[in-house]
Amino acid sequence: MMNPIELKKAVGSGLLSFPVTHFDDQLKFDEAKYRRHVEWLSGYDAAALFAAGGTGEFFSLNPAEIPQVVRAAKASAGKTPIISGTGYGTSLAIEIAVAAEKAGADGLLLLPPYLMFAEQAGLIAHVKAVCQSVGIGVIVYNRDNAVLTADSIARLAEECPNLIGFKDGVGDVDKVIEITTLLGDRLVYVGGMPTHEVYAQAYFAAGVTTYSSAVFNFVPALAQRFYGALRTGDQATVDEILKGFFFPFVALRNRKKGYAVSIIKAGLRVLGQNPGPVRPPLTDLTQDELALLEKIVQANGVTRIAAE
């Protein structure tokens, strides 16, 4: 496992992604297919992979499954760091965090607590308790009912040495600029909007120079090409991929609730792989929607790969 400083450096060094979690027809974790998928993704130079993250259906995994997913990812990812999701109430988040660390996770992504909105003092206590329960690095996910102010992040950074990152899924770029300006290089900053590529240029201007890419699951070469163009200022390539792939992809994703996850598994099906269905309460794409996704993928020169 990496120490927190090593993980911080790794996360900031390139594009990130979060593998889908494979299920069989009975909705049980399909470890063999998941391991093959992680091994395939690790060949495309991701800076780190988030196991059992949002796109990995963290919310539908039970606590005992999460370390299973982490161990499978670690066994298949080679040198690519593995960051485990954790979340829910403080006690359960700590339980998952400790189990993930024992399973070999290099770090943690702390997702918002379950359901409740809370004051800043409560959110600070929650994040601090999780950080203090482990020795590995922690990235806090700022979104939904867990939106931290710049002052709260600064206090946590001072009190929690292993808090190494801030991932934003809110989209208030002015608030992100306030945090990056106040904290400087104390943290690594990660973009975390759904299909973050369409927001990436604005976040780059705010000092957030890396992000987690969901589409990396099924078009990793295209995802890396876009990221490389963004980092080098190749605006023509950025615009080409946005117009040709990401804008029609987002239009399809926005058709129904929950499709931010479902459409990624559908993308793997388009390429000839079988990640299994999403777990309820999510729903899979219809056959007509799957055909539309296939047209988007084919129009961008992505060919089918060999099925398992």
Side-chain angles (χ1 to χ4, degrees):
M1 292 187 293
M2 289 185 167
N3 66 48
I5 299 302
E6 291 171 334
L7 181 64
K8 176 187 170 186
K9 183 178 179 180
V11 168
S13 69
L15 186 61
L16 313 166
S17 189
F18 31 143
V20 298
T21 301
H22 292 55
F23 301 126
D24 63 21
D25 292 341
Q26 304 302 312
L27 298 179
K28 296 183 182 299
F29 175 47
D30 192 328
E31 181 173 343
K33 287 184 178 179
Y34 179 76
R35 288 183 61 165
R36 285 196 291 271
H37 181 57
V38 171
E39 183 178 4
W40 179 63
L41 292 181
S42 67
Y44 285 88
D45 297 326
L49 295 173
F50 293 91
T55 301
E57 297 181 68
F58 170 83
F59 44 84
S60 74
L61 297 170
N62 67 55
E65 289 176 312
I66 294 169
Q68 294 176 14
V69 173
V70 170
R71 279 191 292 270
K74 283 293 293 183
S76 307
K79 296 181 179 180
T80 306
I82 296 297
I83 301 170
S84 171
T86 189
Y88 303 116
T90 305
S91 177
L92 186 51
I94 289 172
E95 180 182 317
I96 294 169
V98 170
E101 182 178 34
K102 289 180 179 178
D106 296 286
L108 298 167
L109 176 65
L110 178 55
L111 284 85
Y114 173 72
L115 189 62
M116 300 302 297
F117 285 82
E119 296 296 327
Q120 291 295 300
L123 294 174
I124 289 171
H126 174 71
V127 176
K128 185 175 178 180
V130 174
C131 286
Q132 291 180 337
S133 72
V134 294
I136 54 180
V138 178
I139 299 170
V140 65
Y141 198 173
N142 195 63
R143 66 176 296 172
D144 297 323
N145 61 327
V147 179
L148 292 152
T149 66
D151 288 342
S152 294
I153 291 292
R155 178 176 166 184
L156 284 165
E158 182 177 348
E159 297 180 3
C160 304
N162 64 328
L163 180 66
I164 59 136
F166 172 83
K167 181 177 180 180
D168 184 70
V170 177
D172 291 339
V173 177
D174 57 332
K175 299 296 184 183
V176 174
I177 291 173
E178 183 182 0
I179 290 168
T180 58
T181 302
L182 181 64
L183 275 297
D185 62 3
R186 168 61 184 83
L187 301 175
V188 62
Y189 304 100
V190 180
M193 297 293 288
T195 315
H196 189 84
E197 282 87 351
V198 299
Y199 302 91
Q201 293 180 89
Y203 272 78
F204 265 50
V208 180
T209 56
T210 191
Y211 57 86
S212 51
S213 171
V215 303
F216 191 95
N217 269 280
F218 66 99
V219 285
L222 182 69
Q224 286 286 22
R225 181 174 169 234
F226 180 85
Y227 179 72
L230 200 62
R231 292 294 296 259
T232 59
D234 182 357
Q235 192 63 45
T237 298
V238 168
D239 291 346
E240 172 199 337
I241 300 175
L242 282 173
K243 289 184 288 187
F245 179 80
F246 284 110
F247 291 160
F249 175 85
V250 168
L252 180 55
R253 183 205 71 192
N254 288 343
R255 284 190 170 196
K256 292 177 185 172
K257 295 177 181 179
Y259 268 14
V261 175
S262 305
I263 198 170
I264 303 303
K265 280 195 166 179
L268 281 167
R269 292 189 197 98
V270 164
L271 268 71
Q273 294 196 21
N274 180 19
V278 292
R279 278 179 173 173
L282 296 183
T283 56
D284 286 300
L285 271 64
T286 66
Q287 287 301 313
D288 287 345
E289 290 165 340
L290 196 64
L292 287 173
L293 180 58
E294 186 166 11
K295 289 181 180 179
I296 294 169
V297 170
Q298 290 176 346
N300 285 272
V302 181
T303 58
R304 289 175 64 89
I305 60 176
E308 278 93 0

